[in-house]
Amino acid sequence: MTRSTIYSLLISGVILAGQNVFAQADENMINDTMEGSVSTIDGYVPSMSITKDGKTAYFSKGTYEKPLYGVFSKKELIYHVYRAEKVNGEWTNVTKLDVCPKHYSAKHPTVNADGSRLFFASNMKGTFGKYDIYVADIAADGTLGVSKNLGPKVNTKEDELYPSIYNETLLFFASEGRDGFGGLDLYASQVVKNTLTTSVNLGAHINSNSDEYAIQLSPEKKLGFVVSNRGFNNTISQYTVAYGRSSKQNQYNDVAERDAGLQAAMNEETYEYVDTSFQDEE
């Protein structure tokens, strides 16, 4: 499954930027609009990921750099993860984080609510294929531990991108390396202490034969908001889906209540993180 790398300049729907991606702050920050922006190079670009206290943010940015080999080679687009701190109401102290070796990319960072773990996608040496999802522990002083690959329960020979954490332990991500519905599909895995569960596809009412990038859940409304390029001429839009027993589900684009994958992931018991590096017990 190879997703399109050319995106139309025409955008059907508006994706508003905001403070937090995927319900990492309090419920009042969850609205009916996903956060992020659209790039003709990258497609959907997620917004900053911010800790629940609102003091620390993580984001990624690409720059063109000379490759490791080839003196006369063209510059390559390399992505780096950055951290910013909010001081007196302003984002400042922007720092580039060394989460992967030089000349490799790291992007789409997402931090859990208490700021103890950072998830991101990287193509560093040692991946299962292209981009894999990694996690690194964050110490109290902000320093990062060793980046750990989440392993074959999440990663494949193709791309895994756009990780996000919901309800502290539920990891959502996009993958094109499984027999899904086509392009990037959305999956979920429970990250419990130092282990994780086998990833489950979120189902046909969320995924399509186009690319699905990200999902945000609004529990109090029993709604989900999905960003996909399934629009006309591959335009990137937000789609609203209902799940569970929503009285308004007929008003929205689709209904996800019949998809066992999403329901199983949502109904898993949640656990607390531990302050150690991730290691799968298997």
Side-chain angles (χ1 to χ4, degrees), residues 256-268:
E257 66 173 349
R258 294 187 296 275
D259 289 314
L262 176 61
Q263 293 305 310
M266 288 289 294
N267 292 331
E268 288 284 347

Side-chain angles (χ1 to χ4, degrees), residues 100-240:
C100 69
K102 191 176 181 180
H103 302 294
Y104 290 97
S105 286
K107 60 183 178 179
H108 306 159
T110 187
V111 64
N112 63 322
D114 67 4
S116 64
R117 275 183 169 177
L118 183 71
F119 294 81
F120 60 94
S122 176
N123 64 350
M124 73 176 81
K125 187 177 181 180
T127 65
F128 287 82
K130 298 178 181 179
Y131 276 89
D132 280 2
I133 294 175
Y134 287 77
V135 63
D137 289 326
I138 306 172
D141 63 358
T143 58
L144 293 177
V146 177
S147 298
K148 300 285 186 177
N149 190 298
L150 290 191
K153 289 183 178 179
V154 169
N155 296 312
T156 68
K157 293 181 179 179
E158 299 296 332
D159 281 330
E160 276 68 48
L161 302 164
Y162 302 105
S164 65
I165 289 291
Y166 171 78
N167 202 19
E168 289 302 289
T169 61
L170 185 57
L171 174 70
F172 288 126
F173 64 96
S175 173
E176 66 172 353
R178 294 173 169 81
D179 292 329
F181 296 91
L184 287 168
D185 276 7
L186 291 170
Y187 290 79
S189 174
Q190 278 281 349
V191 181
V192 180
K193 295 184 178 179
N194 293 332
T195 64
L196 48 80
T197 61
T198 300
S199 301
V200 294
N201 189 294
L202 296 190
H205 295 89
I206 289 175
N207 292 311
S208 68
N209 59 4
S210 298
D211 292 327
E212 278 66 50
Y213 305 104
I215 183 171
Q216 172 179 297
L217 299 180
S218 181
E220 72 282 2
K221 299 178 182 179
K222 296 188 181 299
L223 298 177
F225 308 103
V226 178
V227 174
S228 172
N229 70 344
R230 71 183 77 167
F232 176 74
N233 198 24
N234 291 333
T235 52
I236 298 174
S237 305
Q238 172 188 297
Y239 293 83
T240 306

Side-chain angles (χ1 to χ4, degrees), residues 34-49:
M34 288 289 288
E35 298 147 354
S37 60
V38 175
S39 164
T40 55
I41 297 176
D42 302 311
Y44 173 65
V45 180
S47 182
M48 293 191 302
S49 178

